[in-house]
């Protein structure tokens, strides 16, 4: 019986959106007044059948699962130039990958420094290759994807320390990297968005040079984990509360205060002086509320904020362009914003 359910779930995932909606009909999940997109619901159903909530995978298994999931369900982007390089980290050089549009002129370009998601314990340059390439091509900018150190092998503060080192290198190595020093953005998804927000907090505290833009895809910014959406989607197959708690435990260990601003930027006492922000949130993601609240705090602190709400979507949908058409819509919006803010 489970095999038949898996086959049907996979068929739904691969169906055109309209046909999937027909089969879901009135059964599409509705939570907090938001109806799930039929393709997002199909992906969630498939993941729920594959994952055993009572037997969480090991770190190694989780990394393999994420890489395989993205490889199967994300559409590659070949129409860019790629170059693998290294950038400084806090404890030595780290891998990075540069993406430039095929028609880009020689010389410095507006540049987005990107930090991948994955709960601080998984994800890589390869899992986010297609997303970074799409942003580069559609925005007409350079994107540099950076591989910070992962937990639990390298717990906090290894990742934020690496991110700070990489950001500073964009200025000191601008000519070599093809970076326009005056048009640098930083961004990431989920844990990568957390590292982005953490970086900006640290820059403000140290009174260092701010970037020109920040891109936050479904940011994890509040370690209290008490919002209504956290509770409403506590058992969501793609990102449950138990998985979030597990990621934080691996990332921080028992001694680190998860409410400090470097971990929970939403709890920072002052967010003033930050650059324009593009914040994207998904309606069937436990991180919806904290992303929305963080966007509001940035706006109240004086930053220009564009909040993109995708009410039917799930966590991580930007990496699923083969099976969730709305992911391309969202990437187009983010790319248009990057083009305007970094090139305008």
């Amino acid at each position: 019986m489970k095999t038949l359910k898996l086959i049907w779930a996979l068929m739904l995932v691969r169906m055109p959106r309209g046909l999937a909606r027909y089969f879901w009909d009135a059964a599409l999940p509705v939570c907090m007044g938001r109806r799930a997109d039929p393709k997002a619901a199909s992906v969630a159903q498939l993941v729920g059948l594959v994952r055993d909530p009572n037997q969480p995978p090991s770190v190694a298994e989780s990394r393999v699962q994420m890489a395989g999931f993205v490889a199967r369900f994300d559409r590659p982007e070949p129409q860019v130039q790629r170059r693998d390089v290294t950038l400084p980290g806090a404890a030595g050089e780290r891998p990075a990958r540069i993406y430039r549009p095929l028609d880009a002129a020689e010389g410095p370009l507006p540049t987005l420094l990107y930090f991948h998601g994955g709960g601080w314990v998984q994800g890589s340059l390869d899992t986010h290759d297609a997303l970074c390439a799409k942003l580069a091509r559609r925005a007409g900018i350079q994107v540099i994807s950076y591989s910070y150190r992962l937990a639990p092998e390298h717990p906090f503060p290894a990742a934020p320390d690496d991110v700070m080192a990489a950001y500073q290198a964009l200025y000191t190595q601008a000519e070599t990297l093809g970076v326009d020093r005056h048009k640098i953005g930083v961004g990431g998804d989920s844990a990568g968005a957390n590292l982005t927000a953490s970086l900006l907090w640290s820059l403000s505290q140290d009174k260092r040079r701010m970037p020109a833009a920040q891109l936050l895809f479904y940011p994890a910014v509040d370690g209290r984990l008490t919002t209504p959406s956290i509770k409403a989607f506590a058992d969501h197959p793609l990102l449950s509360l138990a998985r979030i708690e597990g990621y934080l435990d691996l990332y921080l260990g028992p001694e680190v205060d998860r409410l400090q601003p470097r971990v929970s930027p939403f709890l920072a006492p002052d967010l003033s002086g930050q650059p324009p922000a593009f914040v994207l949130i998904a309606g069937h993601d436990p991180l919806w509320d904290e992303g929305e609240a963080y966007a509001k705090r940035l706006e109240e602190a004086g930053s220009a904020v564009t909040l993109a709400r995708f009410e039917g979507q799930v966590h991580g949908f930007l990496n699923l362009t083969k099976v969730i058409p709305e992911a391309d819509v969202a990437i187009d919006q983010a790319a248009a914003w990057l083009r305007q803010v970094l090139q305008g």
Side-chain angles (χ1 to χ4, degrees):
M1 178 63 71
K2 184 175 181 180
T3 300
L4 291 176
K5 288 182 178 180
L6 278 169
I7 292 172
W8 176 241
L10 187 57
M11 288 175 64
L12 278 173
V13 166
R14 295 190 175 279
M15 279 180 192
R17 186 173 184 273
L19 191 57
R21 179 181 289 279
Y22 170 80
F23 282 111
W24 275 102
D25 193 24
L28 277 172
V30 178
C31 190
M32 301 185 75
R34 300 188 289 271
R35 185 177 299 276
D37 174 83
K39 299 309 299 290
S42 300
V43 169
Q45 177 180 254
L46 177 64
V47 172
L49 289 169
V50 172
R51 286 179 178 168
D52 184 346
N54 299 314
Q55 291 186 339
S58 67
V59 171
E61 290 169 338
S62 183
R63 290 169 179 170
V64 170
Q65 287 177 6
M66 180 177 182
F69 196 64
V70 172
R72 174 171 287 189
F73 294 130
D74 203 5
R75 183 177 295 108
E77 174 53 78
Q79 299 300 313
V80 294
Q81 307 170 46
R82 287 172 170 82
R83 178 163 63 103
D84 285 345
V85 297
T86 60
L87 284 178
E93 293 292 303
R94 300 293 306 162
R97 186 169 296 160
I98 298 177
Y99 303 83
R100 289 173 72 97
L102 290 177
D103 58 355
E106 294 293 327
L109 286 181
T111 297
L112 173 71
L113 178 62
Y114 195 87
F115 312 120
H116 66 76
W120 305 278
V121 305
Q122 59 189 351
S124 66
L125 299 182
D126 290 336
T127 60
H128 286 65
D129 180 84
L131 175 56
C132 289
K134 291 180 180 90
L135 289 171
R137 182 178 69 81
R138 299 181 193 185
I141 64 170
Q142 177 172 262
V143 174
I144 301 180
S145 181
Y146 178 72
S147 178
Y148 53 88
R149 286 173 293 168
L150 298 177
E153 297 90 341
H154 304 283
F156 178 90
D161 286 351
D162 282 349
V163 161
M164 176 63 78
Y167 173 73
Q168 297 299 330
L170 261 60
Y171 293 99
T172 61
Q173 301 180 25
E175 291 184 7
T176 302
L177 297 170
V179 172
D180 184 337
R181 287 185 178 90
H182 305 290
K183 298 180 178 180
I184 292 174
V186 293
D189 60 290
S190 193
N194 168 275
L195 293 171
T196 301
S198 175
L199 169 68
L200 289 166
W201 161 253
S202 295
L203 292 172
S204 70
Q205 290 301 104
D206 296 340
K207 301 192 183 316
R208 299 191 186 187
R209 184 172 183 174
M210 282 282 186
Q214 57 179 313
L215 185 76
L216 306 174
F217 295 147
Y218 19 83
V221 289
D222 186 351
R224 294 174 298 181
L225 305 181
T226 56
T227 64
S229 63
I230 284 281
K231 297 174 182 177
F233 296 104
D235 297 319
H236 197 278
L238 278 162
L239 185 65
S240 66
L241 177 56
R243 288 181 78 88
I244 298 172
E245 290 277 13
Y247 291 147
L248 281 167
D249 287 345
L250 290 169
Y251 176 49
L252 300 175
E255 304 300 325
V256 177
D257 177 13
R258 67 167 60 175
L259 304 187
Q260 63 172 288
R262 285 189 87 193
V263 178
S264 295
F266 177 76
L267 302 179
D270 182 13
L271 295 177
S272 62
Q274 295 205 16
F278 182 94
V279 182
L280 180 147
I281 53 177
H284 283 247
D285 176 1
L287 303 183
W288 167 279
D289 282 337
E290 63 197 80
E292 188 171 51
Y294 192 66
K296 183 178 180 181
R297 280 211 61 204
L298 285 172
E299 193 167 45
E300 290 173 345
S303 298
V305 177
T306 297
L307 179 60
R309 297 179 174 91
F310 286 83
E311 296 196 352
Q313 286 308 327
V314 290
H315 192 80
F317 78 103
L318 297 177
N319 296 96
L320 305 173
T321 55
K322 274 186 183 177
V323 293
I324 298 184
E326 203 168 28
D328 271 315
V329 176
I331 294 170
D332 280 344
Q333 288 188 19
W337 182 86
L338 285 168
R339 183 184 291 273
Q340 178 184 6
V341 173
L342 290 181
Q343 296 206 70

